[in-house]
Amino acid sequence: MAKPTPNDRINLTKLTCLVIDDNALSLELISQIMTAFGIGKLIQHRSAEASMRVIMEQPVDLIITDGQMPGMDGYSFTRWVRGLEHAENRYAPILLLTGETRASYITRGRDVGASLVVSKPINPQALLDRLFWVSLDEREFVESDFYSGPDRRFKVVKLEDGVADRREGEVVAKPERLLNTGS
Amino acid sequence: MSEVRKFRVKSRLSRFISQPGGISVRDALKRADAGIESLRIPCIADVDATLAEIDSRFAPATPGRDNESLEDLYQLSARIIDVSICLEGSGIDAAARRLCELVDVSQTLGVRDWESIEVHIHALKLLRAAGLSMSDTQRGAVISGLAKVTRKRVGDPNAPWPETAGA
């Protein structure tokens, strides 16, 4: 998608965003950005455990969670949200922020059902771009015994004419494409 | 075999983000920059405190540093990444990421090369002190030099993961 231009408008006034980060400063940075973007209601928590109650008790339209936290981390929290039964919040877009460089964690973010795994540090422009991207995300939601979340086939790439089909004309993107750097 | 269900879900974010009202992207970004600026001093203090802890536990003269956990060093470096937006443009986030990569490769290979770690710590301190006043070329040289150190002395941080190599 094209990046939003300065004259585009963003309307988050009717939305509730849950931000989770055990690092108080990092939590405040993300919260400042979301407040500046005009989010209607912002809920902050420093632990995933405390956030579970929020998810169970009220509608949340967007979740931004740190990946690495003591106790329940952002990955386990994401998997828990996606696995909820009869809860609208299970479909909420989840941005999983991570300072991790280990490739296994990026793959893990995909496999627990995050909408997007985003590298820290994240700046306002990068977060805005990701919000627009997620808002336009047309992937189907997948439910099975082993996975719940957006279709992990991140991008469908059509093969050129004359190239033999491997998966009925589509190539499944590598999971690395899920990593969107914040730079 | 389990049943796989696929269906479309339109989130409230998708429905509302483009509705009339709200604010312009220009204003949103300007307000966000101001919000970050308001946290600049505590964030820099946090970076400095983290660097001091790294120094106190992993510097050359530290007694008993061989008993320190490399995982702790990884987490401390990741903590710098967390709040490094307050020093955007200094390159300290990239250097912290290189240190994470070094620790990661070291753990994977079961090695502990103190000289490599010290080079990274020095680079972090250099970029904290002078990164913002360096030219892009100077800053880039520091950061790319760290990757070379890791590759030469420990291993290739971009090499395939052992569990997936050859898969």
Side-chain angles (χ1 to χ4, degrees):
Chain A
M1 74 164 255
K3 284 188 174 185
T5 69
N7 291 325
D8 285 337
R9 298 189 75 80
I10 177 171
N11 189 346
L12 305 178
T13 54
K14 293 179 181 170
L15 303 180
T16 297
C17 175
L18 170 63
V19 183
I20 314 164
D21 198 319
D22 64 303
N23 181 328
L25 274 172
S26 185
L27 177 68
E28 197 54 37
L29 282 167
I30 301 300
S31 300
Q32 286 279 352
I33 296 173
M34 290 307 299
T35 301
F37 289 174
I39 192 76
K41 184 177 179 183
L42 183 74
I43 304 169
Q44 299 171 289
H45 272 298
R46 291 186 63 183
S47 79
E49 288 87 347
S51 303
M52 294 169 81
R53 172 177 279 185
V54 175
I55 293 294
M56 296 304 289
E57 291 181 348
Q58 60 180 290
V60 173
D61 305 309
L62 173 67
I63 300 167
I64 303 176
T65 180
D66 186 27
Q68 291 70 44
M69 293 185 285
M72 179 186 246
D73 63 17
Y75 300 89
S76 300
F77 178 76
T78 299
R79 188 188 292 278
W80 174 79
V81 171
R82 294 300 190 220
L84 289 171
E85 290 186 6
H86 313 300
E88 202 58 27
N89 285 340
R90 70 184 301 193
Y91 305 119
I94 301 178
L95 297 187
L96 209 159
L97 308 185
T98 179
E100 277 283 349
T101 59
R102 294 180 264 219
S104 56
Y105 277 76
I106 308 304
T107 308
R108 190 176 163 209
R110 175 202 67 172
D111 290 343
V112 296
S115 305
L116 209 55
V117 181
V118 184
S119 289
K120 285 184 174 182
I122 189 159
N123 62 38
Q125 180 71 61
L127 184 54
L128 190 81
D129 291 346
R130 273 69 181 166
L131 285 179
F132 271 90
W133 190 95
V134 167
S135 75
L136 295 173
D137 186 3
E138 293 186 340
R139 283 177 293 167
E140 290 180 306
F141 201 88
V142 178
E143 284 182 341
S144 72
D145 288 350
F146 308 104
Y147 174 77
S148 288
D151 194 331
R152 287 175 287 183
R153 295 180 306 167
F154 197 65
K155 186 177 180 182
V156 175
V157 182
K158 294 283 183 188
L159 294 177
E160 294 175 10
D161 290 344
V163 176
D165 287 355
R166 286 188 291 181
R167 294 173 64 97
E168 297 180 348
E170 298 175 352
V171 174
V172 179
K174 293 179 180 177
E176 299 90 80
R177 293 195 187 186
L178 265 173
L179 174 64
N180 278 259
T181 60
S183 56
Chain B
M1 186 175 170
S2 71
E3 180 190 354
V4 178
R5 294 178 57 230
K6 290 186 176 184
F7 47 92
R8 300 261 177 215
V9 178
K10 192 168 178 71
S11 70
R12 278 171 50 85
L13 175 68
S14 303
R15 290 208 300 270
F16 286 104
I17 194 169
S18 299
Q19 281 201 345
I23 57 173
S24 70
V25 164
R26 178 185 289 106
D27 288 344
L29 293 174
K30 195 183 293 181
R31 286 168 41 166
D33 285 340
I36 289 174
E37 184 61 30
S38 73
L39 294 169
R40 186 175 157 81
I41 290 174
C43 282
I44 289 177
D46 194 65
V47 168
D48 288 344
T50 306
L51 281 173
E53 182 173 350
I54 289 174
D55 227 11
S56 71
R57 295 174 60 184
F58 299 95
T62 307
R65 71 172 177 173
D66 281 326
N67 298 322
E68 290 285 355
S69 155
L70 280 186
E71 183 60 28
D72 285 358
L73 181 57
Y74 186 102
Q75 296 304 333
L76 287 165
S77 193
R79 184 178 175 90
I80 291 175
I81 295 172
D82 271 2
V83 296
S84 58
I85 185 68
C86 63
L87 289 164
E88 190 173 29
S90 69
I92 197 168
D93 58 318
R97 195 168 288 280
R98 295 289 172 275
L99 179 52
C100 284
E101 288 171 354
L102 167 64
V103 171
D104 190 24
V105 174
S106 301
Q107 289 176 316
T108 303
L109 299 177
V111 298
R112 185 179 290 226
D113 184 72
W114 284 117
E115 288 183 14
S116 300
I117 290 171
E118 285 159 18
V119 167
H120 282 71
I121 295 173
H122 283 310
L124 283 170
K125 291 196 283 190
L126 172 66
L127 292 167
R128 161 65 186 97
L132 289 170
S133 58
M134 286 178 171
S135 69
D136 289 348
T137 307
Q138 290 171 322
R139 203 180 306 110
V142 172
I143 294 162
S144 64
L146 295 178
K148 286 177 189 165
V149 167
T150 297
R151 195 176 304 120
K152 187 168 182 180
R153 295 195 51 104
V154 181
D156 185 356
N158 296 315
W161 284 74
E163 67 266 32
T164 59

